[in-house]
């Protein structure tokens, strides 16, 4: 048992501050090393980016294992490492729902989306929709949806970066935290504008290796503390939580009343269906040479991600047992610092080894954030340049140089918007923020993709109703939910204009997206292009004619 567990919360926090202060040079040095390494990779890859295929799809030169590693690096975001550990540490069994939902979601992506999407498109989701529908309206809708979903996801990463770096640099002022968010935004702009998909992919691969390695290390150190006895670990976590056996049973967070139970169902639906509609995951399927490689890369990703999410049990309950909820909440009310604090405690508070572990894990988490924000920004800027600029504004007449230039400018604008919104979300749990992005993606993108690939009657009007209807319903419900106002942990804690009681809109907005796609198609005056659908069906299932 860690000695820190016997100290009052205030004493432990003083110890933490002293640890961080005494070893701040080491911590900052590791952060700088991580940034320099990733920047070096980006510059190296940028020199090999010569055309649109290189910028958007990395030249389609990555193997199934490389892409699987990059996919897992793209997917295991700040929500996975910081948010889930905090959610489990504070909510026990109910917090683990995020791990289960994030992992199970890959079955939907593998079985329904990965291979057909790789065969049917070229760079973006809009390519698939435009194959048998009117290009300009569906590409515009796909571009708008991609950008909105990506920005929702970016908010979580910005919030994670602000919390993490503020803790380690001792920054407590709002201005300092905003500066950190701005720094992350600037770095992500540099990564994407210089490195494109090649640079982003290599950064994500390196980050995945670092994250898995760091997580394995902390997991083993926690298990050593309890002589590899999981029962003792869970028992101490329950005792330290102040909730007793309820901490290890369902219902602590989502079983309080009928509203919280509906929130549980809504969150579960969003997590399971959201992955297959996430733009930054979908574009990863285009970086491999064949559909078979795309399918294999998902298998690799499931294995790597599954290993990681199993270890979140030890991270979360280990933080509850060794750090305690009081110290975690005092550091960050949403629990986002649980994993770094756990690293400090298993290494030994007041020791050089503890400070080194804290610095290493925090630097790895920062690398995680940088890699994911680069992937998200690339997805949204690619969709703007390829779908909206090249095929809507320029009507297909843009040169590759103009298109890539537009993507780089879009990166700058999206980065600025993300920085502005990220400053407002810095005190929210990052796992919860990512769940919102999953809900928006599952509401707007997934219905349209599935209908387009598998429903012969689907029309342009159906696609527009599905994308815009699902997108608007999800965003509106989020804006008027407790996530934005009405609670101490809301984005605007001092106001209350919420009327939607749930924190995740998936239970309403996802069925709305599917329903509107169906109704819009039935009421459409357009005749579906059955010949084009036959071509798409053959191409999506066999790969004939795929890029």
């Amino acid at each position: 048992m860690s000695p820190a567990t016997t100290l009052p919360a205030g004493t432990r926090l003083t110890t933490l501050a002293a640890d961080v202060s005494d070893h701040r040079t080491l911590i900052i040095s590791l952060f700088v090393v991580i940034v320099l390494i990733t920047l070096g990779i980006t510059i190296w890859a940028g020199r090999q980016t010569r055309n649109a295929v290189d910028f958007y799809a990395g030249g389609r030169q990555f193997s199934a294992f490389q892409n699987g590693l990059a996919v897992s690096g793209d997917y295991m975001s700040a929500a996975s490492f910081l948010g889930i550990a905090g959610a489990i540490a504070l909510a026990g069994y109910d917090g683990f729902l995020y791990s289960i939902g994030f992992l199970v979601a890959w079955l939907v992506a593998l079985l329904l989306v990965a291979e057909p999407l790789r065969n049917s498109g070229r760079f973006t989701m809009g390519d698939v929709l435009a194959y048998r529908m009117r290009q300009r309206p569906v590409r515009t809708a796909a571009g708008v949806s991609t950008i909105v979903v990506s920005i929702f996801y970016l908010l979580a990463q910005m919030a994670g970066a602000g919390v993490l770096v503020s803790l380690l640099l001792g920054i407590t002022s709002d201005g300092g935290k905003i500066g950190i968010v701005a720094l992350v935004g600037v770095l992500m702009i540099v990564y994407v504008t210089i490195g494109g998909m090649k640079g982003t992919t290599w950064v994500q691969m390196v980050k995945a290796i670092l994250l898995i390695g760091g997580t394995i290390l902390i997991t083993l150190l926690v298990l050593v503390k309890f002589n590899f006895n999981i029962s003792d670990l869970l028992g101490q976590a329950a005792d330290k939580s102040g909730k007793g056996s309820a901490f290890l049973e369902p219902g602590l967070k989502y079983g309080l009343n009928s509203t919280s139970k509906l929130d549980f169902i809504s969150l579960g639906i969003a997590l399971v269906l959201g992955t297959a509609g996430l733009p930054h995951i979908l574009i990863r399927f285009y970086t491999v040479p064949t559909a078979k490689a795309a399918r294999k890369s998902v298998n690799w990703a499931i294995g790597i991600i599954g290993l990681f999410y199993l270890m979140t049990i030890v991270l979360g309950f280990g933080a509850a047992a060794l750090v305690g909820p009081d110290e975690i909440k005092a550091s960050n009310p949403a629990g986002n610092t649980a994993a770094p604090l756990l690293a400090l405690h298993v290494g030994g508070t007041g020791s050089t080894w503890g400070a080194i572990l804290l610095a290493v894990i925090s630097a790895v988490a920062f690398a995680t954030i940088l890699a994911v924000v680069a992937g998200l920004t690339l997805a949204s800027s690619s969709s703007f340049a390829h779908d909206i600029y090249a095929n809507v504004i320029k009507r297909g007449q843009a040169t590759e140089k103009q298109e890539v230039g537009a993507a780089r400018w879009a990166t700058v604008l999206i980065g600025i918007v993300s920085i502005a919104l990220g400053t407002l979300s810095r005190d929210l749990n990052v796992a919860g923020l990512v769940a919102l992005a999953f809900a928006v993606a599952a509401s707007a993108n997934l219905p349209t993709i599935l209908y387009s690939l598998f429903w012969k009657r689907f029309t342009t009007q159906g696609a527009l109703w599905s994308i815009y209807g699902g997108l608007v319903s999800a965003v509106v419900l989020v804006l008027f939910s407790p996530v934005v106002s009405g609670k101490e942990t809301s984005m605007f804690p001092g106001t209350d204009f919420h009327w939607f009681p749930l924190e995740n809109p998936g239970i309403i907005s996802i069925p709305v997206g599917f329903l509107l796609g169906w109704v819009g198609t039935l009421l459409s005056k357009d005749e579906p292009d059955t010949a084009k659908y036959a071509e798409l069906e053959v191409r999506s299932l066999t790969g004939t004619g795929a890029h």
Side-chain angles (χ1 to χ4, degrees):
M1 184 183 298
S2 169
T5 58
T6 62
L7 299 174
T11 305
R12 295 197 304 270
L13 286 171
T14 304
T15 305
L16 170 64
D19 278 331
V20 172
S21 179
D22 291 345
H23 300 90
R24 190 155 287 150
T25 301
L26 170 66
I27 291 168
I28 294 174
S29 298
L30 277 171
F31 269 66
V32 171
V33 168
I34 288 286
V35 171
L36 290 178
I37 289 173
T38 53
L39 280 176
I41 293 171
T42 301
I43 293 169
W44 166 76
R47 291 176 178 171
Q48 303 177 50
T49 300
R50 299 180 179 86
N51 52 42
V53 175
D54 287 338
F55 187 86
Y56 292 136
R60 307 192 200 282
Q61 297 171 348
F62 293 99
S63 68
F65 173 71
Q66 288 176 323
N67 193 50
L69 198 57
V71 167
S72 61
D74 214 358
Y75 195 70
M76 293 184 298
S77 65
S80 300
F81 191 56
L82 301 178
I84 293 178
I88 295 174
L90 299 181
Y93 183 99
D94 282 11
F96 187 57
L97 169 67
Y98 287 103
S99 292
I100 298 171
F102 284 147
L103 180 58
V104 171
W106 277 101
L107 294 177
V108 179
L110 173 64
L111 298 175
L112 297 178
V113 172
E115 187 174 354
L117 195 75
R118 169 60 186 82
N119 287 338
S120 307
R122 187 162 181 246
F123 297 136
T124 66
M125 179 183 75
D127 289 334
V128 179
L129 305 183
Y131 192 84
R132 67 185 183 101
M133 298 176 192
R134 296 200 307 275
Q135 285 223 9
R136 298 186 74 200
V138 295
R139 283 193 183 275
T140 301
V144 169
S145 176
T146 295
I147 292 170
V148 172
V149 172
S150 297
I151 287 176
F152 263 94
Y153 212 115
L154 277 167
L155 293 183
Q157 312 312 312
M158 296 299 195
V163 167
L164 183 68
V165 183
S166 297
L167 170 71
L168 297 177
L169 300 187
I171 295 172
T172 56
S173 67
D174 287 340
K177 293 178 181 178
I178 291 170
I180 293 165
V181 171
L183 172 64
V184 174
V186 170
L187 285 172
M188 81 180 181
I189 291 170
V190 171
Y191 286 169
V192 175
T193 53
I194 294 177
M197 178 58 87
K198 282 189 176 180
T200 300
T201 299
W202 281 106
V203 168
Q204 287 163 347
M205 289 164 60
V206 170
K207 166 254 165 154
I209 294 170
L210 290 174
L211 182 60
I212 288 292
T215 306
I216 290 173
L217 174 62
I218 298 300
T219 299
L220 289 176
L221 289 174
V222 171
L223 292 176
V224 166
K225 289 272 187 185
F226 293 91
N227 297 316
F228 290 88
N229 190 321
I230 298 292
S231 180
D232 284 351
L233 167 63
L234 296 178
Q236 183 165 319
D239 293 340
K240 193 75 171 288
S241 71
K243 307 292 184 182
S245 60
F247 191 70
L248 305 178
E249 299 171 357
L252 192 61
K253 181 177 180 181
Y254 294 111
L256 303 177
N257 50 49
S258 58
T259 300
S260 65
K261 291 176 182 177
L262 282 176
D263 229 337
F264 171 86
I265 297 171
S266 188
L267 175 63
I269 294 171
L271 294 180
V272 171
L273 298 181
T275 296
L278 290 174
H280 69 297
I281 298 298
L282 297 180
I283 64 170
R284 293 237 55 92
F285 299 142
Y286 298 125
T287 64
V288 290
T290 64
K292 183 179 180 181
R295 189 172 63 250
K296 283 187 175 180
S297 68
V298 175
N299 287 331
W300 276 111
I302 290 174
I304 296 168
I305 293 167
L307 171 65
F308 173 80
Y309 284 136
L310 279 176
M311 291 188 289
T312 61
I313 301 174
V314 179
L315 291 181
F317 286 109
L322 298 176
V323 184
D326 293 338
E327 184 174 340
I328 293 171
K329 288 179 182 178
S331 173
N332 178 257
N336 293 325
T337 55
L341 289 172
L342 176 63
L344 175 64
H345 279 257
V346 294
T349 54
S351 69
T352 301
W353 175 231
I356 290 172
L357 267 183
L358 171 66
V360 168
I361 294 303
S362 300
V364 168
F366 192 62
T368 293
I369 291 166
L370 293 178
V372 174
V373 296
L376 288 161
T377 309
L378 181 64
S380 49
S381 61
S382 297
S383 186
F384 172 82
H386 183 63
D387 291 323
I388 297 176
Y389 175 79
N391 287 289
V392 176
I393 297 174
K394 288 289 188 177
R395 298 176 180 269
Q397 301 302 310
T399 64
E400 283 196 355
K401 185 177 180 180
Q402 289 175 322
E403 194 173 323
V404 173
R408 288 181 167 134
W409 279 110
T411 298
V412 175
L413 293 174
I414 290 165
I416 292 171
V417 171
S418 300
I419 291 169
L421 293 175
T423 60
L424 298 173
S425 58
R426 59 186 181 274
D427 292 326
L428 302 179
N429 182 277
V430 289
L433 283 173
V434 164
L436 294 181
F438 273 61
V440 178
S443 305
N445 295 346
L446 183 62
T448 315
I449 292 171
L450 295 182
Y451 281 147
S452 184
L453 289 173
F454 302 112
W455 189 19
K456 180 165 64 176
R457 288 192 58 190
F458 197 47
T459 63
T460 300
Q461 179 172 297
L464 297 179
W465 282 32
S466 181
I467 291 177
Y468 288 128
L471 187 66
V472 170
S473 63
V475 172
V476 168
L477 291 178
V478 168
L479 289 176
F480 293 99
S481 75
V483 171
V484 175
S485 70
K487 292 174 61 179
E488 290 184 5
T489 55
S490 298
M491 191 175 291
F492 299 102
T495 59
D496 185 1
F497 50 84
H498 88 281
W499 48 261
F500 184 65
L502 307 183
E503 294 190 3
N504 192 290
I507 195 170
I508 303 295
S509 59
I510 295 173
V512 166
F514 277 99
L515 179 63
L516 288 177
W518 178 67
V519 172
T521 296
L522 295 183
L523 298 179
S524 174
K525 296 179 181 179
D526 299 334
E527 285 297 323
D529 192 333
T530 53
K532 271 289 187 183
Y533 174 76
E535 289 179 22
L536 178 65
E537 187 176 34
V538 171
R539 181 168 166 170
S540 66
L541 296 178
T542 66
T544 304
H547 293 285

